[in-house]
Amino acid sequence: MNNISFLSISFLIFVKITTCTFKLQEQFKWSILDYVYDNGFARHQALTTKRFIPENNLPVGIEIWKDKLFVTVPRWKPGVPSTLNYISLQNTEDKSPPLKPYPDWRSNEFANCNSGLSTVYRIKADSCDRLWVLDTGTFGIGNTTQNPCPYALNIFNLTSNKRLRRYELRPEDTNPNTFIANIAVDIGKDCEDAFAYMSDELGYGLVVYSWKQNSSWRFSHSYFMPDPLAGDFNIDGLNFQWDKEGIFGMSLSPKLVTGEKILYFSPLASNREFAVSTRILRNSSKVDNSYHDFVALRERGPNSHVTAKVMDDYGIQFMNLIDRNAVGCWNSAINRYGANAIDIVDQDETKLIFPSDIKIDRFGYVWVLSDKMSNFLISRLDYNETNFRILFAPVDVLVANTACADYRSFGNDFFFKF
Ligand SMILES: *[C@@H]1O[C@H](CO)[C@@H](O)[C@H](O)[C@H]1NC(C)=O
Ligand SMILES: *[C@@H]1O[C@H](CO)[C@@H](O)[C@H](O)[C@H]1NC(C)=O
Ligand SMILES: *[C@@H]1O[C@H](CO)[C@@H](O)[C@H](O)[C@H]1NC(C)=O
Ligand SMILES: *[C@@H]1O[C@H](CO)[C@@H](O)[C@H](O)[C@H]1NC(C)=O
Ligand SMILES: *[C@@H]1O[C@H](CO)[C@@H](O)[C@H](O)[C@H]1NC(C)=O
């Protein structure tokens, strides 16, 4: 599909949305996931050999690029046939479409370290039409984890669907506790001037990869640690402790007048936000010499654990508030960070149970995946119910009548406010 027809489809969807009173609109929903096999026989064979066990497949990450909506499924349990997948946004008739492996089945082969992907969590499409995919190389979760392959960053050309590069993290970039599930991508003056930031949630580090230098380095900081008072969670009637979970959610600001950006980040077991300039992260000689360059912002208040966040071109940050079945916002261009500055843009006790990922597409739509992850991990899902949803709404519709609403009046000016 060319850009013009995609634009007109977006426009039609937009018209439909603004006539409704609710905010996030359900675009796709599943009670259980399925995949596009070459034919019925191949699917049947995958089921009987248990290479595909439908109830072990949980979607955790999304990304949008043109008419593709990517969906990642980690190999936490056996029977996940493909970890990086997409569905087409052209066919909006099927509300529960099966997932297509991206770019193909072969590239999703488990434990094929050179040309396969074992487990992918979060992914990021950049403005140069590349998809950044961090493969943890693992199977399992928690104490069942095996790692047949090292952590490797895979970068695909979204136009040709070819892998451009595979970069294995250096042994020094990880430690025995390492668990990296999230990635942010920073494009500077051109497509060569690109960096990836990867948050090590259980090893407490921030790994930086430079595309131009084709090398990586690792920052450590006490701000990457969990808050010992913030490890207790109550989600959908379940109580559990994620008290070792450090740095996880990250979002990049627009470019400041000085050319740098701000990386906002938060540990999962924490109600606090932190920030650091990309000028520091991009400089490998700052690794051991940057304690005071990291900044602590104020707290979001109780029950505000966050795993996913994203910022639009005007400095409005959207974050998942997993304890509240909600999506929150903060307008960094007009408000200092803090509990008062954060507002809820949408909340739903059914549809937003564990909003696991949030992205913004090029047309200014916010997309949210909710997946009942805590039920899947700690209890079990009822496969007679809708369990996974992908919802979306335009930024303007979401922030209307919230503390984030003074929108676009700042144009492209962005002020770095704590
Ligand atoms: C692994 O973790 C599970 C759940 O936390 C626990 O029940 C089990 O005993 C652990 N197994 C090992 C070998 O530590
Ligand atoms: C991606 O593929 C397209 C189409 O083949 C090509 O024109 C473009 O140069 C490629 N981009 C990169 C970064 O290799
Ligand atoms: C990047 O570095 C790795 C070694 O760390 C090497 O195997 C790979 O070929 C390099 N890629 C490019 C594009 O230079
Ligand atoms: C990187 O950091 C070092 C040490 O602080 C500093 O001397 C150097 O000027 C920095 N490089 C750039 C490009 O900012
Ligand atoms: C789903 O519904 C069917 C038919 O009503 C029932 O037999 C089955 O036990 C239900 N499954 C679950 C997981 O509740």
Side-chain angles (χ1 to χ4, degrees):
M1 184 161 56
N2 62 38
N3 283 341
I4 293 171
S5 63
F6 185 65
L7 266 170
S8 59
I9 285 177
S10 302
F11 181 69
L12 287 177
I13 295 170
F14 180 75
V15 169
K16 204 165 129 210
I17 271 199
T18 48
T19 57
C20 301
T21 51
F22 48 86
K23 290 182 167 180
L24 284 168
Q25 170 133 322
E26 203 172 84
Q27 181 66 25
F28 300 109
K29 59 176 180 177
W30 296 266
S31 51
I32 199 158
L33 290 182
D34 203 348
Y35 293 82
V36 178
Y37 283 89
D38 290 342
N39 52 57
F41 177 71
R43 183 172 178 280
H44 181 73
Q45 206 178 31
L47 285 166
T48 51
T49 57
K50 299 212 184 310
R51 271 180 288 122
F52 177 33
I53 305 174
E55 61 272 23
N56 287 352
N57 287 256
L58 182 86
V60 301
I62 53 170
E63 179 59 299
I64 302 89
W65 180 80
K66 294 196 176 169
D67 63 342
K68 285 192 175 71
L69 196 163
F70 293 92
V71 179
T72 61
V73 184
R75 284 189 167 106
W76 281 343
K77 298 182 181 179
V80 176
S82 170
T83 184
L84 177 62
N85 311 283
Y86 72 101
I87 52 190
S88 169
L89 289 171
Q90 287 183 64
N91 172 11
T92 50
E93 295 299 307
D94 187 356
K95 293 293 174 202
S96 313
L99 307 182
K100 265 195 194 129
Y102 183 85
D104 50 38
W105 280 106
R106 217 173 49 82
S107 308
N108 277 277
E109 193 185 338
F110 172 69
N112 177 341
C113 302
N114 285 327
S115 55
L117 295 166
S118 292
T119 280
V120 173
Y121 291 98
R122 304 294 154 72
I123 51 181
K124 185 70 192 128
D126 70 17
S127 52
C128 304
D129 297 327
R130 296 175 297 207
L131 186 68
W132 297 66
V133 176
L134 180 67
D135 180 11
T136 64
T138 55
F139 169 80
I141 175 104
N143 61 11
T144 68
T145 303
Q146 307 157 16
N147 48 335
C149 301
Y151 274 85
L153 192 52
N154 292 261
I155 299 136
F156 291 90
N157 180 335
L158 282 162
T159 311
S160 64
N161 302 319
K162 296 258 160 45
R163 191 173 69 179
L164 294 168
R165 209 179 270 195
R166 174 176 182 274
Y167 176 83
E168 277 180 22
L169 296 195
R170 304 170 308 154
E172 309 91 289
D173 291 332
T174 59
N175 61 41
N177 293 324
T178 284
F179 175 74
I180 310 179
N182 202 5
I183 181 168
V185 175
D186 174 19
I187 306 297
K189 57 182 188 302
D190 56 40
C191 296
E192 289 300 299
D193 185 27
F195 290 79
Y197 309 123
M198 297 162 271
S199 52
D200 186 348
E201 183 194 22
L202 296 175
Y204 312 141
L206 187 57
V207 180
V208 179
Y209 171 74
S210 161
W211 168 272
K212 200 186 281 169
Q213 296 166 46
N214 187 38
S215 65
S216 55
W217 49 91
R218 179 185 169 99
F219 283 84
S220 299
H221 202 285
S222 49
Y223 294 173
F224 302 162
M225 308 271 181
D227 174 347
L229 301 184
D232 196 35
F233 289 71
N234 289 290
I235 300 177
D236 197 30
L238 288 175
N239 173 256
F240 53 94
Q241 286 73 45
W242 282 348
D243 51 3
K244 297 179 188 65
E245 275 62 8
I247 179 171
F248 196 162
M250 296 182 288
S251 71
L252 276 170
S253 76
K255 245 180 226 156
L256 310 186
V257 282
T258 49
E260 70 210 275
K261 298 177 186 170
I262 304 302
L263 181 79
Y264 295 98
F265 63 90
S266 51
L268 173 49
S270 171
N271 293 308
R272 201 181 267 286
E273 188 90 347
F274 299 93
V276 64
S277 165
T278 55
R279 180 174 45 80
I280 306 301
L281 299 178
R282 284 167 161 244
N283 186 340
S284 58
S285 40
K286 286 285 186 188
V287 160
D288 293 317
N289 174 30
S290 54
Y291 184 85
H292 296 288
D293 293 307
F294 286 74
V295 183
L297 279 64
R298 288 185 296 181
E299 293 205 69
R300 285 183 290 275
N303 296 323
S304 52
H305 295 113
V306 165
T307 65
K309 59 186 87 181
V310 64
M311 202 173 246
D312 81 352
D313 294 343
Y314 300 88
I316 301 181
Q317 188 194 77
F318 293 92
M319 76 291 285
N320 63 348
L321 296 167
I322 56 178
D323 321 80
R324 303 193 227 174
N325 307 324
V327 175
C329 67
W330 164 50
N331 189 332
S332 68
I334 59 174
N335 293 317
R336 266 184 67 158
Y337 198 88
N340 293 339
I342 288 170
D343 212 342
I344 293 210
V345 298
D346 208 349
Q347 183 165 37
D348 195 302
E349 307 300 325
T350 308
K351 292 183 181 170
L352 289 177
I353 299 172
F354 215 108
S356 154
D357 202 6
I358 302 189
K359 290 282 160 63
I360 300 182
D361 70 17
R362 291 179 189 181
F363 303 104
Y365 292 85
V366 175
W367 293 78
V368 177
L369 164 71
S370 71
D371 66 2
K372 301 189 187 170
M373 186 191 296
S374 38
N375 305 64
F376 180 88
L377 286 174
I378 284 139
S379 164
R380 56 196 296 277
L381 295 181
D382 176 350
Y383 289 102
N384 286 332
E385 290 185 346
T386 297
N387 290 309
F388 321 127
R389 293 176 168 85
I390 293 177
L391 312 98
F392 78 114
V395 169
D396 334 36
V397 171
L398 281 179
V399 300
N401 306 313
T402 71
C404 309
D406 209 354
Y407 177 56
R408 310 237 159 149
S409 55
F410 281 79
N412 266 318
D413 298 332
F414 179 84
F415 302 100
F416 183 32
K417 281 207 181 71
F418 291 133

